[in-house]
Amino acid sequence: MTSTLGPAATRRRSALVVLCSVQFMLVLDDTVVSVALPSIRNELGFGASGLAWVVNAYFLAFGGLLLLAGRVADLLGRRRVFLAGVALFGLASLVSGIAQEPWQLVAGRFAQGAGAAMASPASLSLITLLFPGPEERARALGIWGGIAGLGGTMGLVISGVLTDLTSWRWIFLINLPVVAAAVVLLPGLVPESRAARRTRPDAGGAVLGTAAVLSLVYGLLQVGESGWGDMSVIVALVLAAVLIAAFLVVESRVAEPLVPMAFLTFRTRAVANLATLLFSAAAYAMAFLLMIHLQTVLGYDPLVAGFAYLPYGAGILTGMWLSTRLVARIGMRWALVSSFLVCGAGFLLLSGIAPGGHYAAAVLPGMLLTSLGNGMCLPVLATAAVAGTTGEDAGLGSALFTSMQQAGGSVGVAVLVTLAAWRGGGTPGYSFALTVAAALLALGAVLIAALLGNDRSTS
């Protein structure tokens, strides 16, 4: 076991630990402010509409800049863009942690999102290239995807603990050691990589694509604040549709498009990204609705509600362990179908939580089943979404996958929260929305079974 490959394998494993730690941190900041919002409002004097932008600024920058950042990473160097994004994220975390005025915290959150948009796709593309073999890539992406899913859940727990025991400022300041370790360690672990073909950046496509995503994400975020009939929502969504149409026209005419059509039509990636959109829409909405339901219907305080999610992490880790074994035994297609159905069954159990329900009987079974399906699903989706990518386009593939997660989450929360309100809110609305979320996963399972090949390799 002491072959010349030992040091190289050790460096790759160390690099994977660093890259997964950073991804955990980035996804953590999707949700880490949720429990702390009342404390932030009281200390900094936020108004009701301004407080929403502590959350929205991060999602807007993260979701809006992903595609552009992913392609820039391919052209300028993935390690360089990753390190720049991590450094920006760290500086923005410091600004957020010491903010004295509302605008300072919102600006810090926007800069955090921009840093995350640079670092996240670069991280996934670096892993894709570091582990070229099908089996080792599947294992590495399985760990990366599972850790990312775990980060989204643990944000609620960490936020509750830090806000209750110390100060809300520490939910941002705890990022700094991770940032420092990544900036110091990664250059010695990962070589620089970039596309061999040095093409001129598609400036028109970059501007239109980024503006389209920003407008779409902004419109969907505003739905939660103002409803579908608000003029700002209508204008933003119509503008997004116009910009998307213009983007497609420009991309079809330029010699070196930002997102080549051939890249989008690669079957495995196309199905994986569509499945990711549906899965993220259901999963993000479930997490949002369940947290609200635990507090408003079951009467949990924020800290207890955060701790109630702890078993979710155990389910994700178990699902990650099962994931690669399922792919090896039954192939990527049926592994994904199984995970979607398991997760959907968990949603249906969670939809039955009624007032007065006990945690062990009413919440825990559905939470464990949902988290198991989540852990089974995310690694395989990540592997399929970057299937066939090379040193020319790994950053673009990674960015597209992460974009589908962010867009799906925004759409899912906006639509399913609206459906819950339409059914009267409370327990009936919650139950109906989670049933629709389960139906989305069933639809995803059908599409995967019909469209995805059953190649057991994950290359």
Side-chain angles (χ1 to χ4, degrees), residues 220-243:
L220 292 171
L221 290 172
Q222 286 298 101
V223 169
E225 299 299 317
S226 310
W228 289 95
D230 186 80
M231 185 56 64
S232 65
V233 173
I234 296 171
V235 170
L237 296 181
V238 169
L239 178 61
V242 171
L243 289 169

PDB file of all heavy atoms in Angstrom, residues 220-243:
ATOM      1  N   LEU A 220     -39.381  35.632  -8.147  1.00  0.00           N
ATOM      2  CA  LEU A 220     -39.843  34.526  -7.315  1.00  0.00           C
ATOM      3  C   LEU A 220     -39.682  34.838  -5.826  1.00  0.00           C
ATOM      4  O   LEU A 220     -40.528  34.457  -5.008  1.00  0.00           O
ATOM      5  CB  LEU A 220     -39.077  33.256  -7.681  1.00  0.00           C
ATOM      6  CG  LEU A 220     -39.383  32.694  -9.075  1.00  0.00           C
ATOM      7  CD1 LEU A 220     -38.415  31.575  -9.431  1.00  0.00           C
ATOM      8  CD2 LEU A 220     -40.828  32.191  -9.147  1.00  0.00           C
ATOM      9  N   LEU A 221     -38.604  35.520  -5.469  1.00  0.00           N
ATOM     10  CA  LEU A 221     -38.434  35.910  -4.076  1.00  0.00           C
ATOM     11  C   LEU A 221     -39.522  36.893  -3.638  1.00  0.00           C
ATOM     12  O   LEU A 221     -40.019  36.825  -2.511  1.00  0.00           O
ATOM     13  CB  LEU A 221     -37.049  36.535  -3.870  1.00  0.00           C
ATOM     14  CG  LEU A 221     -35.850  35.576  -3.963  1.00  0.00           C
ATOM     15  CD1 LEU A 221     -34.549  36.368  -3.943  1.00  0.00           C
ATOM     16  CD2 LEU A 221     -35.871  34.559  -2.843  1.00  0.00           C
ATOM     17  N   GLN A 222     -39.904  37.805  -4.536  1.00  0.00           N
ATOM     18  CA  GLN A 222     -40.930  38.789  -4.198  1.00  0.00           C
ATOM     19  C   GLN A 222     -42.302  38.170  -4.048  1.00  0.00           C
ATOM     20  O   GLN A 222     -43.161  38.727  -3.368  1.00  0.00           O
ATOM     21  CB  GLN A 222     -40.968  39.888  -5.269  1.00  0.00           C
ATOM     22  CG  GLN A 222     -39.804  40.865  -5.192  1.00  0.00           C
ATOM     23  CD  GLN A 222     -39.804  41.618  -3.873  1.00  0.00           C
ATOM     24  OE1 GLN A 222     -39.049  41.307  -2.958  1.00  0.00           O
ATOM     25  NE2 GLN A 222     -40.672  42.602  -3.739  1.00  0.00           N
ATOM     26  N   VAL A 223     -42.524  37.001  -4.684  1.00  0.00           N
ATOM     27  CA  VAL A 223     -43.813  36.329  -4.534  1.00  0.00           C
ATOM     28  C   VAL A 223     -44.092  36.053  -3.063  1.00  0.00           C
ATOM     29  O   VAL A 223     -45.212  36.228  -2.578  1.00  0.00           O
ATOM     30  CB  VAL A 223     -43.829  35.010  -5.346  1.00  0.00           C
ATOM     31  CG1 VAL A 223     -45.056  34.178  -4.975  1.00  0.00           C
ATOM     32  CG2 VAL A 223     -43.837  35.312  -6.833  1.00  0.00           C
ATOM     33  N   GLY A 224     -43.055  35.615  -2.346  1.00  0.00           N
ATOM     34  CA  GLY A 224     -43.224  35.317  -0.927  1.00  0.00           C
ATOM     35  C   GLY A 224     -43.572  36.546  -0.103  1.00  0.00           C
ATOM     36  O   GLY A 224     -44.180  36.429   0.956  1.00  0.00           O
ATOM     37  N   GLU A 225     -43.163  37.722  -0.580  1.00  0.00           N
ATOM     38  CA  GLU A 225     -43.422  38.951   0.172  1.00  0.00           C
ATOM     39  C   GLU A 225     -44.726  39.618  -0.240  1.00  0.00           C
ATOM     40  O   GLU A 225     -45.462  40.150   0.596  1.00  0.00           O
ATOM     41  CB  GLU A 225     -42.264  39.938  -0.057  1.00  0.00           C
ATOM     42  CG  GLU A 225     -40.903  39.426   0.397  1.00  0.00           C
ATOM     43  CD  GLU A 225     -40.870  39.142   1.883  1.00  0.00           C
ATOM     44  OE1 GLU A 225     -41.393  39.964   2.650  1.00  0.00           O
ATOM     45  OE2 GLU A 225     -40.342  38.089   2.266  1.00  0.00           O
ATOM     46  N   SER A 226     -45.020  39.593  -1.568  1.00  0.00           N
ATOM     47  CA  SER A 226     -46.108  40.416  -2.088  1.00  0.00           C
ATOM     48  C   SER A 226     -47.230  39.645  -2.761  1.00  0.00           C
ATOM     49  O   SER A 226     -48.292  40.203  -3.010  1.00  0.00           O
ATOM     50  CB  SER A 226     -45.539  41.439  -3.097  1.00  0.00           C
ATOM     51  OG  SER A 226     -44.432  42.124  -2.556  1.00  0.00           O
ATOM     52  N   GLY A 227     -46.994  38.374  -3.096  1.00  0.00           N
ATOM     53  CA  GLY A 227     -48.004  37.604  -3.811  1.00  0.00           C
ATOM     54  C   GLY A 227     -47.835  37.710  -5.320  1.00  0.00           C
ATOM     55  O   GLY A 227     -47.133  38.583  -5.834  1.00  0.00           O
ATOM     56  N   TRP A 228     -48.495  36.803  -6.029  1.00  0.00           N
ATOM     57  CA  TRP A 228     -48.328  36.719  -7.486  1.00  0.00           C
ATOM     58  C   TRP A 228     -48.897  37.919  -8.225  1.00  0.00           C
ATOM     59  O   TRP A 228     -48.489  38.224  -9.340  1.00  0.00           O
ATOM     60  CB  TRP A 228     -49.000  35.445  -7.994  1.00  0.00           C
ATOM     61  CG  TRP A 228     -48.281  34.205  -7.606  1.00  0.00           C
ATOM     62  CD1 TRP A 228     -48.545  33.405  -6.517  1.00  0.00           C
ATOM     63  CD2 TRP A 228     -47.162  33.598  -8.258  1.00  0.00           C
ATOM     64  NE1 TRP A 228     -47.662  32.357  -6.463  1.00  0.00           N
ATOM     65  CE2 TRP A 228     -46.807  32.444  -7.523  1.00  0.00           C
ATOM     66  CE3 TRP A 228     -46.434  33.923  -9.407  1.00  0.00           C
ATOM     67  CZ2 TRP A 228     -45.755  31.613  -7.897  1.00  0.00           C
ATOM     68  CZ3 TRP A 228     -45.389  33.089  -9.788  1.00  0.00           C
ATOM     69  CH2 TRP A 228     -45.061  31.959  -9.034  1.00  0.00           C
ATOM     70  N   GLY A 229     -49.875  38.602  -7.635  1.00  0.00           N
ATOM     71  CA  GLY A 229     -50.516  39.707  -8.345  1.00  0.00           C
ATOM     72  C   GLY A 229     -49.803  41.034  -8.214  1.00  0.00           C
ATOM     73  O   GLY A 229     -50.198  42.020  -8.852  1.00  0.00           O
ATOM     74  N   ASP A 230     -48.739  41.116  -7.413  1.00  0.00           N
ATOM     75  CA  ASP A 230     -48.029  42.373  -7.227  1.00  0.00           C
ATOM     76  C   ASP A 230     -47.332  42.790  -8.519  1.00  0.00           C
ATOM     77  O   ASP A 230     -46.766  41.964  -9.239  1.00  0.00           O
ATOM     78  CB  ASP A 230     -47.005  42.231  -6.105  1.00  0.00           C
ATOM     79  CG  ASP A 230     -46.335  43.545  -5.758  1.00  0.00           C
ATOM     80  OD1 ASP A 230     -46.948  44.340  -5.036  1.00  0.00           O
ATOM     81  OD2 ASP A 230     -45.197  43.760  -6.219  1.00  0.00           O
ATOM     82  N   MET A 231     -47.357  44.095  -8.799  1.00  0.00           N
ATOM     83  CA  MET A 231     -46.801  44.587 -10.065  1.00  0.00           C
ATOM     84  C   MET A 231     -45.305  44.311 -10.165  1.00  0.00           C
ATOM     85  O   MET A 231     -44.793  43.991 -11.260  1.00  0.00           O
ATOM     86  CB  MET A 231     -47.067  46.092 -10.192  1.00  0.00           C
ATOM     87  CG  MET A 231     -46.622  46.674 -11.548  1.00  0.00           C
ATOM     88  SD  MET A 231     -47.371  45.833 -12.983  1.00  0.00           S
ATOM     89  CE  MET A 231     -49.105  46.242 -12.724  1.00  0.00           C
ATOM     90  N   SER A 232     -44.565  44.395  -9.059  1.00  0.00           N
ATOM     91  CA  SER A 232     -43.128  44.142  -9.119  1.00  0.00           C
ATOM     92  C   SER A 232     -42.842  42.689  -9.502  1.00  0.00           C
ATOM     93  O   SER A 232     -41.873  42.398 -10.218  1.00  0.00           O
ATOM     94  CB  SER A 232     -42.477  44.464  -7.766  1.00  0.00           C
ATOM     95  OG  SER A 232     -42.938  43.602  -6.750  1.00  0.00           O
ATOM     96  N   VAL A 233     -43.692  41.782  -9.040  1.00  0.00           N
ATOM     97  CA  VAL A 233     -43.533  40.363  -9.399  1.00  0.00           C
ATOM     98  C   VAL A 233     -43.817  40.165 -10.881  1.00  0.00           C
ATOM     99  O   VAL A 233     -43.050  39.502 -11.595  1.00  0.00           O
ATOM    100  CB  VAL A 233     -44.479  39.489  -8.549  1.00  0.00           C
ATOM    101  CG1 VAL A 233     -44.453  38.045  -9.038  1.00  0.00           C
ATOM    102  CG2 VAL A 233     -44.101  39.568  -7.081  1.00  0.00           C
ATOM    103  N   ILE A 234     -44.916  40.737 -11.354  1.00  0.00           N
ATOM    104  CA  ILE A 234     -45.295  40.574 -12.757  1.00  0.00           C
ATOM    105  C   ILE A 234     -44.222  41.139 -13.681  1.00  0.00           C
ATOM    106  O   ILE A 234     -43.802  40.502 -14.655  1.00  0.00           O
ATOM    107  CB  ILE A 234     -46.658  41.254 -13.025  1.00  0.00           C
ATOM    108  CG1 ILE A 234     -47.760  40.549 -12.223  1.00  0.00           C
ATOM    109  CG2 ILE A 234     -46.980  41.253 -14.519  1.00  0.00           C
ATOM    110  CD1 ILE A 234     -49.084  41.264 -12.249  1.00  0.00           C
ATOM    111  N   VAL A 235     -43.750  42.346 -13.361  1.00  0.00           N
ATOM    112  CA  VAL A 235     -42.729  42.984 -14.203  1.00  0.00           C
ATOM    113  C   VAL A 235     -41.450  42.144 -14.222  1.00  0.00           C
ATOM    114  O   VAL A 235     -40.851  41.918 -15.274  1.00  0.00           O
ATOM    115  CB  VAL A 235     -42.440  44.419 -13.704  1.00  0.00           C
ATOM    116  CG1 VAL A 235     -41.205  44.995 -14.406  1.00  0.00           C
ATOM    117  CG2 VAL A 235     -43.651  45.310 -13.951  1.00  0.00           C
ATOM    118  N   ALA A 236     -41.027  41.680 -13.048  1.00  0.00           N
ATOM    119  CA  ALA A 236     -39.787  40.904 -12.972  1.00  0.00           C
ATOM    120  C   ALA A 236     -39.890  39.606 -13.764  1.00  0.00           C
ATOM    121  O   ALA A 236     -38.964  39.229 -14.493  1.00  0.00           O
ATOM    122  CB  ALA A 236     -39.439  40.615 -11.515  1.00  0.00           C
ATOM    123  N   LEU A 237     -41.023  38.904 -13.654  1.00  0.00           N
ATOM    124  CA  LEU A 237     -41.168  37.622 -14.346  1.00  0.00           C
ATOM    125  C   LEU A 237     -41.327  37.808 -15.850  1.00  0.00           C
ATOM    126  O   LEU A 237     -40.791  37.019 -16.643  1.00  0.00           O
ATOM    127  CB  LEU A 237     -42.349  36.839 -13.765  1.00  0.00           C
ATOM    128  CG  LEU A 237     -42.205  36.410 -12.300  1.00  0.00           C
ATOM    129  CD1 LEU A 237     -43.428  35.617 -11.850  1.00  0.00           C
ATOM    130  CD2 LEU A 237     -40.950  35.573 -12.103  1.00  0.00           C
ATOM    131  N   VAL A 238     -42.054  38.842 -16.261  1.00  0.00           N
ATOM    132  CA  VAL A 238     -42.169  39.121 -17.694  1.00  0.00           C
ATOM    133  C   VAL A 238     -40.818  39.518 -18.271  1.00  0.00           C
ATOM    134  O   VAL A 238     -40.419  39.065 -19.355  1.00  0.00           O
ATOM    135  CB  VAL A 238     -43.220  40.232 -17.945  1.00  0.00           C
ATOM    136  CG1 VAL A 238     -43.160  40.715 -19.399  1.00  0.00           C
ATOM    137  CG2 VAL A 238     -44.617  39.721 -17.622  1.00  0.00           C
ATOM    138  N   LEU A 239     -40.089  40.356 -17.542  1.00  0.00           N
ATOM    139  CA  LEU A 239     -38.745  40.746 -17.993  1.00  0.00           C
ATOM    140  C   LEU A 239     -37.838  39.529 -18.098  1.00  0.00           C
ATOM    141  O   LEU A 239     -37.057  39.404 -19.050  1.00  0.00           O
ATOM    142  CB  LEU A 239     -38.156  41.767 -17.015  1.00  0.00           C
ATOM    143  CG  LEU A 239     -36.728  42.254 -17.320  1.00  0.00           C
ATOM    144  CD1 LEU A 239     -36.670  42.937 -18.680  1.00  0.00           C
ATOM    145  CD2 LEU A 239     -36.238  43.191 -16.225  1.00  0.00           C
ATOM    146  N   ALA A 240     -37.941  38.614 -17.129  1.00  0.00           N
ATOM    147  CA  ALA A 240     -37.129  37.396 -17.181  1.00  0.00           C
ATOM    148  C   ALA A 240     -37.446  36.582 -18.429  1.00  0.00           C
ATOM    149  O   ALA A 240     -36.536  36.072 -19.101  1.00  0.00           O
ATOM    150  CB  ALA A 240     -37.363  36.557 -15.926  1.00  0.00           C
ATOM    151  N   ALA A 241     -38.736  36.460 -18.777  1.00  0.00           N
ATOM    152  CA  ALA A 241     -39.127  35.699 -19.973  1.00  0.00           C
ATOM    153  C   ALA A 241     -38.564  36.345 -21.236  1.00  0.00           C
ATOM    154  O   ALA A 241     -38.063  35.659 -22.142  1.00  0.00           O
ATOM    155  CB  ALA A 241     -40.652  35.609 -20.052  1.00  0.00           C
ATOM    156  N   VAL A 242     -38.633  37.681 -21.301  1.00  0.00           N
ATOM    157  CA  VAL A 242     -38.102  38.396 -22.474  1.00  0.00           C
ATOM    158  C   VAL A 242     -36.581  38.207 -22.573  1.00  0.00           C
ATOM    159  O   VAL A 242     -36.029  37.949 -23.654  1.00  0.00           O
ATOM    160  CB  VAL A 242     -38.460  39.903 -22.382  1.00  0.00           C
ATOM    161  CG1 VAL A 242     -37.734  40.693 -23.476  1.00  0.00           C
ATOM    162  CG2 VAL A 242     -39.967  40.087 -22.498  1.00  0.00           C
ATOM    163  N   LEU A 243     -35.906  38.321 -21.443  1.00  0.00           N
ATOM    164  CA  LEU A 243     -34.445  38.171 -21.436  1.00  0.00           C
ATOM    165  C   LEU A 243     -34.024  36.745 -21.787  1.00  0.00           C
ATOM    166  O   LEU A 243     -33.023  36.538 -22.479  1.00  0.00           O
ATOM    167  CB  LEU A 243     -33.885  38.556 -20.067  1.00  0.00           C
ATOM    168  CG  LEU A 243     -33.939  40.050 -19.723  1.00  0.00           C
ATOM    169  CD1 LEU A 243     -33.618  40.278 -18.251  1.00  0.00           C
ATOM    170  CD2 LEU A 243     -32.976  40.838 -20.598  1.00  0.00           C
TER     171      LEU A 243
END
